[in-house]
C-alpha cells in the first residue's frame, strides 16, 4: 500500500500515513486526513488523489505552496521516494511497501527520534541550495553525527568516472588518491551490484580483510550505501569505524538508506541543473560571439547580411547600407562598429537630412570662433569626434552637392578643415553611410556625385524590407511584446493566432519602426495581455484581401509587364522581345491599362 512519511516541522516523531482512500486531504484544519501542526501550512493546503493507478499531489489553496524534490509544483504525479515540502513539514512518498509500518504509539524517542530529526534537518538544508558541493558536505556531516563513524568519504561519478569528492577523518597519507578508493574491493562490490553492504568485522572478513581501505585505515566496521536516482548509481557513501566490530546495525542501515534515497534524488536534480547551467553559459557564449548588436532576424536575407558583416567588420573599408525607411540601417552600422577593431573607439552618428544645409558643414568639420554669426567658441565637428572610431552618415543621399565635394576630400586625404580655419587636422575614421534611396539612380539623375558614390560604395549591404522577411515579423513582434509588456503594462503579453496572421498579411510600409509603434500601442490598449488584430489596428478592413489564384496571377502579370516596360522606357517591341511574347500581347495589355486610368 502506498504511504507518506511525515517529518513534522516541530521535529517530533515522524509518522507513516497509509494512503487508503482515493483522496488524502492535507492541511492544518482538523477535518483533513493528514493534519499538520502549524509550520507554515494552510488550513486545506493540498491533497493526494489516486486515479488511473497513479498518485497526484496538487495544492488546494492558492497560498499553499507545494515543493516536490525542491521544485515548486501546482500539480505533480508522484514517484516512489519523492520528497514533498509543505511549509516547514517534510513528507516522503512511498509507492511501494518498504517495510515501514504506521506508528500507533511513540517508540524509543531517544534514538529513532534523533535519527529522523537528523533526516529532517538534512532535507531542509538540501532544499536550500543547488550547489553540489554543499549538498554532499551536508550529507556527510549529518551521517557522521548520526552513525558515529570515525572515517567517511563520499564517492561520486562525474562524466562516468567515479572519484572521491568529499572525505572526513581521512589523512591524506592513508588514502592519497581517488584511484586507491575506487580500486577497493568493498567499493567495487557496491558499485557493481548497486546494493548496500555492511561488513561487521572488516579486519577478519575473508573477502574484505585485504581491501586497501580496510588495511590502510584499520577499519573494524564498514557500511557502504549507494546513491541512486532513476535506476542509476550516482555514487556511494563509505562509512567506517576503527574502534568496534558490529558498529553498524541493520536498523542503522535503513536510516542511512533513507538519507541516501533523499540525497540521490536531490543530487540528481542538482547535477542536472549544473549541467543545464553549463550548457546555458556555453550557449550564451556562442550567442555573444554571433550576436549582431540589437539586430533580430533569422531569414535567409538577414543571414546573408550577418555573414557579410562578419567578413567586413574587421577591415577599414567604407560600407554603404541601403534599405527602406525603418529597416534598421543604424543597427547594422552599430553592429559593424561593435565587431570591428575600432569597437573601443567612438561611434558618431549624423543625420545628413535633418540638419540645415548652412549648418551641415560646421556639424561635420567643426568651426573656429568668429567663423560666422553665433560662432562664439571653437567647436569640434563629427569627423574629429569620431577619430579612431566610426562615423555613421545617415541619409547621405540628402547631402547637398557642394558639401559632397568636401566630404570626398576628407575621405580621400583623411584630413578636415574647420569652417573659418586654414589648418588641416588628421583624422583616422571609418565611414559607414546609409540611405533609403538608390544612390546609383541619384547619380544618374545628377543629384549625387559619382566619385563620392564609389568612395562610399566599396561594399553595399542591401537590407530587405520587413514584408519580405517571413517569420521574422512575428519574431520581432514578440521581442517588442516582451520588452513593452514589462516596461509599460507590467505583465506578460502574447499574440493571438489572429494577430499573427494579420502581422504576416500587412505590407509594413514603415517596416520595423512601424511594427515597433503598433506593438507599443497594442500593449497599452490590450485588456488582458492577449494581443488581437484590433489592438494592432490591423482589422480585416485594413488588410489586403487574399485573391483567388487566377486573379493573383493576373495582378502579378500586369505589374511585371509594367516594370519591364519602365525598364525599356515604354518601348513595346523591346518589351515583347524581352518577355518572349507576341507584340500584340503588350498592345492588349496597354489597352487594358488605359481602361483602368481615371478620366
Amino acid at each position: 500500500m502506498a504511504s507518506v512519511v511525515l517529518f513534522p516541522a516541530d521535529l517530533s516523531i515522524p509518522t507513516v500515513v497509509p494512503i487508503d482512500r482515493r483522496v488524502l486531504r492535507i492541511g492544518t484544519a482538523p477535518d483533513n486526513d493528514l493534519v499538520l501542526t502549524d509550520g507554515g501550512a494552510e488550513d486545506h493546503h493540498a491533497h493526494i488523489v489516486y486515479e488511473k493507478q497513479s498518485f497526484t499531489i496538487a495544492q488546494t489553496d492558492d497560498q499553499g505552496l507545494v515543493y516536490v524534490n525542491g521544485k515548486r509544483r501546482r500539480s505533480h504525479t508522484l514517484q516512489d521516494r519523492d520528497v514533498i515540502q509543505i511549509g516547514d513539514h517534510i513528507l516522503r512518498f512511498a509507492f511501494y511497501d518498504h517495510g515501514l509500518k504506521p506508528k500507533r504509539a511513540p517508540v524509543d524517542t531517544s534514538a529513532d527520534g534523533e535519527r529522523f530529526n537528523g533526516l529532517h534537518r538534512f532535507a531542509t538544508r538540501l532544499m536550500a541550495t543547488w550547489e553540489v558541493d554543499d549538498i554532499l558536505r551536508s550529507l556527510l556531516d549529518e551521517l557522521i553525527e548520526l552513525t558515529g563513524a570515525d572515517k567517511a568519504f563520499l564517492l561520486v561519478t562525474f562524466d562516468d568516472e567515479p572519484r572521491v569528492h568529499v572525505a572526513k577523518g581521512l589523512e591524506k597519507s592513508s588514502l592519497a588518491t581517488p584511484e586507491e578508493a575506487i580500486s577497493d574491493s568493498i567499493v567495487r562490490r557496491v558499485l557493481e551490484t548497486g546494493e548496500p553492504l555492511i561488513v561487521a568485522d572488516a579486519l577478519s572478513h575473508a573477502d574484505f580483510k585485504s581491501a586497501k581501505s580496510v588495511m590502510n585505515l584499520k577499519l573494524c566496521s564498514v557500511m557502504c550505501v549507494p546513491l541512486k536516482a532513476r535506476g542509476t548509481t550516482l555514487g556511494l557513501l563509505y562509512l567506517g569505524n576503527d574502534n568496534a566490530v558490529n558498529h553498524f546495525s541493520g536498523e542503522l542501515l535503513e536510516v542511512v538508506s533513507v538519507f541516501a534515497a533523499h540525497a540521490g534524488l536531490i543530487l540528481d536534480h542538482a547535477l542536472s541543473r549544473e549541467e543545464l547551467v553549463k550548457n546555458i553559459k556555453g550557449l550564451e557564449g556562442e550567442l555573444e560571439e554571433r550576436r549582431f548588436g540589437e539586430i533580430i532576424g533569422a531569414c535567409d536575407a538577414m543571414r546573408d547580411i550577418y555573414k557579410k558583416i562578419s567578413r567586413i567588420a574587421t577591415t577599414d573599408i567604407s560600407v554603404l547600407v541601403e534599405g527602406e525607411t525603418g529597416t534598421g540601417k543604424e543597427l547594422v552600422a552599430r553592429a559593424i562598429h561593435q565587431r570591428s577593431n575600432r569597437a573601443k573607439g567612438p561611434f558618431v552618428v549624423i543625420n545628413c537630412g535633418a540638419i540645415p544645409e548652412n549648418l551641415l558643414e560646421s556639424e561635420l568639420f567643426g568651426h573656429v570662433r568668429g567663423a560666422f554669426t553665433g560662432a562664439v567658441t571653437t567647436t569640434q565637428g563629427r569627423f574629429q569626434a569620431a577619430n579612431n572610431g566610426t562615423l555613421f552618415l545617415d541619409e547621405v543621399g540628402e547631402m547637398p552637392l557642394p558639401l559632397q565635394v568636401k566630404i570626398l576630400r576628407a575621405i580621400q586625404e583623411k584630413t578636415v578643415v574647420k569652417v573659418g580655419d586654414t589648418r588641416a587636422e588628421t583624422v583616422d575614421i571609418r565611414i559607414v553611410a546609409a540611405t533609403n534611396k538608390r544612390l546609383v539612380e541619384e547619380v544618374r539623375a545628377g543629384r549625387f556625385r559619382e566619385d563620392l558614390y564609389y568612395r562610399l560604395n566599396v561594399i553595399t549591404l542591401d537590407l530587405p524590407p520587413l514584408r519580405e522577411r517571413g517569420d521574422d515579423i512575428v519574431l520581432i513582434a514578440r521581442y517588442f511584446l516582451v520588452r513593452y509588456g514589462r516596461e509599460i503594462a507590467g505583465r506578460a503579453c502574447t499574440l493571438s493566432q489572429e494577430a499573427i496572421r494579420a502581422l504576416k498579411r500587412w505590407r509594413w510600409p514603415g517596416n520595423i519602426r512601424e511594427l515597433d509603434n503598433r506593438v507599443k500601442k497594442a500593449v497599452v490598449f490590450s485588456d488582458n495581455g492577449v494581443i488581437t488584430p484590433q489592438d494592432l489596428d490591423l482589422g480585416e478592413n485594413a488588410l489586403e484581401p487574399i485573391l483567388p489564384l487566377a486573379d493573383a496571377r493576373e495582378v502579378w502579370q500586369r505589374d511585371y509587364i509594367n516594370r519591364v516596360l519602365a525598364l525599356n522606357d515604354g518601348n513595346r517591341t523591346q518589351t515583347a522581345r524581352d518577355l518572349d511574347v507576341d507584340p500584340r500581347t503588350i498592345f492588349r495589355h496597354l489597352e487594358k491599362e488605359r481602361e483602368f486610368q481615371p478620366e
Side-chain angles (χ1 to χ4, degrees):
M1 178 183 298
S3 60
V4 289
V5 181
L6 169 64
F7 303 95
D10 60 4
L11 303 183
S12 58
I13 299 171
T15 306
V16 179
V17 180
I19 305 177
D20 54 2
R21 60 204 72 193
R22 186 169 293 276
V23 179
L24 182 75
R25 297 169 298 173
I26 306 171
T28 59
D31 59 343
N32 286 288
D33 303 304
L34 177 52
V35 179
L36 307 177
T37 303
D38 299 327
E42 302 297 328
D43 290 347
H44 297 89
H45 199 110
H47 61 234
I48 297 176
V49 178
Y50 175 73
E51 187 176 15
K52 295 181 180 179
Q53 297 185 340
S54 65
F55 293 86
T56 302
I57 187 168
Q59 64 182 78
T60 52
D61 188 308
D62 290 339
Q63 303 300 319
L65 303 183
V66 175
Y67 293 86
V68 180
N69 299 327
K71 294 185 178 180
R72 182 181 172 182
R73 303 290 190 188
R74 289 185 176 276
S75 178
H76 180 79
T77 301
L78 293 170
Q79 304 295 324
D80 189 39
R81 299 182 185 275
D82 275 352
V83 177
I84 306 162
Q85 183 175 0
I86 295 178
D88 294 328
H89 303 270
I90 302 296
L91 295 87
R92 180 169 66 84
F93 174 73
F95 194 99
Y96 307 104
D97 184 2
H98 296 289
L100 298 172
K101 301 296 181 184
K103 294 186 178 180
R104 305 186 182 277
V107 296
D108 192 6
T109 58
S110 60
D112 292 345
E114 177 57 28
R115 289 169 180 173
F116 282 107
N117 288 345
L119 177 60
H120 181 273
R121 289 193 303 269
F122 169 62
T124 303
R125 288 169 67 180
L126 289 194
M127 290 184 180
T129 181
W130 281 110
E131 296 297 327
V132 173
D133 286 350
D134 292 344
I135 290 174
L136 299 183
R137 283 194 209 84
S138 297
L139 172 62
L140 216 55
D141 288 343
E142 288 292 345
L143 285 177
I144 289 176
E145 183 177 345
L146 283 176
T147 63
D150 299 310
K151 308 281 193 277
F153 64 81
L154 192 149
L155 187 145
V156 178
T157 55
F158 287 106
D159 300 326
D160 297 326
E161 197 64 37
R163 65 176 182 266
V164 174
H165 198 74
V166 183
K168 296 287 184 179
L170 300 178
E171 297 179 3
K172 292 184 178 179
S173 59
S174 61
L175 196 61
T177 63
E179 286 72 19
E180 285 193 46
I182 294 170
S183 66
D184 188 279
S185 55
I186 296 176
V187 171
R188 190 165 57 250
R189 170 79 65 87
V190 175
L191 286 176
E192 290 174 353
T193 63
E195 298 295 329
L197 177 66
I198 291 179
V199 183
D201 186 357
L203 292 173
S204 302
H205 197 286
D207 294 333
F208 303 123
K209 63 182 180 181
S210 60
K212 288 186 177 181
S213 60
V214 173
M215 296 173 63
N216 291 338
L217 302 176
K218 308 300 183 184
L219 298 177
C220 295
S221 300
V222 172
M223 178 189 292
C224 198
V225 180
L227 291 175
K228 290 185 176 182
R230 293 181 290 182
T232 301
T233 301
L234 301 177
L236 56 81
L237 299 165
Y238 191 109
L239 306 173
N241 185 280
D242 54 11
N243 293 317
V245 297
N246 294 314
H247 181 79
F248 303 115
S249 65
E251 183 181 356
L252 193 58
L253 176 62
E254 183 179 347
V255 175
V256 174
S257 296
V258 172
F259 269 74
H262 283 68
L265 289 172
I266 299 175
L267 178 60
D268 181 53
H269 289 306
L271 290 172
S272 298
R273 180 181 181 276
E274 196 174 71
E275 184 66 24
L276 285 174
V277 170
K278 181 180 178 182
N279 290 339
I280 289 171
K281 288 182 178 178
L283 291 173
E284 287 175 346
E286 185 177 344
L287 179 62
E288 186 64 29
E289 291 177 0
R290 298 188 178 186
R291 71 190 295 257
F292 293 86
E294 298 179 9
I295 305 173
I296 301 171
C299 67
D300 291 341
M302 291 308 298
R303 288 177 185 272
D304 185 57
I305 294 292
Y306 299 155
K307 188 184 299 183
K308 289 179 178 177
I309 290 175
S310 298
R311 291 189 176 183
I312 66 179
T314 54
T315 69
D316 266 350
I317 58 178
S318 298
V319 179
L320 177 64
V321 185
E322 292 187 339
E324 296 179 7
T325 298
T327 51
K329 296 185 287 295
E330 184 173 341
L331 293 182
V332 169
R334 286 187 183 276
I336 293 172
H337 172 72
Q338 289 166 357
R339 297 175 70 85
S340 72
N341 300 328
R342 300 174 178 268
K344 294 183 179 179
F347 178 79
V348 179
V349 180
I350 184 167
N351 190 325
C352 301
I355 300 175
E357 181 177 342
N358 59 335
L359 296 179
L360 188 56
E361 183 178 357
S362 172
E363 283 289 331
L364 285 170
F365 306 126
H367 62 263
V368 297
R369 180 180 179 183
F372 50 84
T373 302
V376 294
T377 60
T378 298
T379 304
Q380 262 194 346
R382 302 297 177 90
F383 267 77
Q384 295 95 323
N387 193 38
N388 296 320
T390 302
L391 178 64
F392 176 52
L393 300 174
D394 198 10
E395 302 301 343
V396 70
E398 305 295 335
M399 186 180 294
L401 281 169
L403 191 58
Q404 292 178 25
V405 179
K406 297 183 178 181
I407 288 279
L408 177 63
R409 182 184 181 90
I411 295 174
Q412 286 177 332
E413 301 182 6
K414 295 186 178 181
T415 59
V416 296
V417 179
K418 290 187 176 76
V419 176
D421 200 357
T422 57
R423 294 172 301 170
E425 299 178 53
T426 301
V427 290
D428 178 18
I429 61 174
R430 179 188 193 161
I431 298 291
V432 178
T435 178
N436 61 357
K437 298 181 177 180
R438 291 293 179 185
L439 283 192
V440 66
E441 296 177 6
E442 296 295 297
V443 170
R444 290 172 186 165
R447 292 187 292 268
F448 200 85
R449 292 184 61 91
E450 186 174 9
D451 47 4
L452 178 59
Y453 170 71
Y454 287 114
R455 276 289 176 184
L456 297 176
N457 186 33
V458 179
I459 295 290
T460 300
L461 297 180
D462 194 358
L463 297 187
L466 185 58
R467 60 183 170 274
E468 295 178 4
R469 290 178 57 179
D471 290 337
D472 279 1
I473 298 172
V474 180
L475 185 68
I476 298 170
R478 284 177 171 152
Y479 167 78
F480 288 141
L481 271 184
V482 172
R483 176 179 170 185
Y484 296 132
R486 182 171 56 249
E487 292 179 3
I488 299 175
R491 65 184 178 190
C493 296
T494 186
L495 293 168
S496 66
Q497 288 300 317
E498 294 78 10
I500 293 174
R501 180 179 171 85
L503 288 171
K504 292 181 177 180
R505 287 180 59 187
W506 185 243
R507 297 294 295 168
W508 299 109
N511 292 292
I512 298 174
R513 188 175 294 119
E514 179 188 356
L515 176 59
D516 185 351
N517 291 335
R518 285 186 182 272
V519 171
K520 190 182 299 182
K521 178 182 177 182
V523 169
V524 172
F525 288 103
S526 175
D527 294 327
N528 55 11
V530 179
I531 305 301
T532 65
Q534 288 70 32
D535 296 327
L536 295 163
D537 283 341
L538 294 177
E540 192 66 32
N541 294 334
L543 301 174
E544 292 185 7
I546 297 177
L547 300 175
L549 183 59
D551 294 344
R553 186 184 294 114
E554 184 176 344
V555 170
W556 178 87
Q557 180 175 305
R558 174 188 167 194
D559 291 342
Y560 190 68
I561 293 175
N562 286 336
R563 199 184 318 161
V564 178
L565 275 167
L567 290 174
N568 291 323
D569 296 324
N571 187 317
R572 292 169 290 184
T573 304
Q574 182 61 41
T575 299
R577 188 179 298 115
D578 289 344
L579 296 177
D580 194 22
V581 296
D582 191 288
R584 288 174 293 183
T585 301
I586 306 301
F587 295 145
R588 285 193 295 268
H589 167 77
L590 292 173
E591 288 176 1
K592 287 183 180 180
E593 287 294 289
R594 282 192 287 270
E595 292 176 5
F596 286 117
Q597 294 293 329
E599 296 181 359

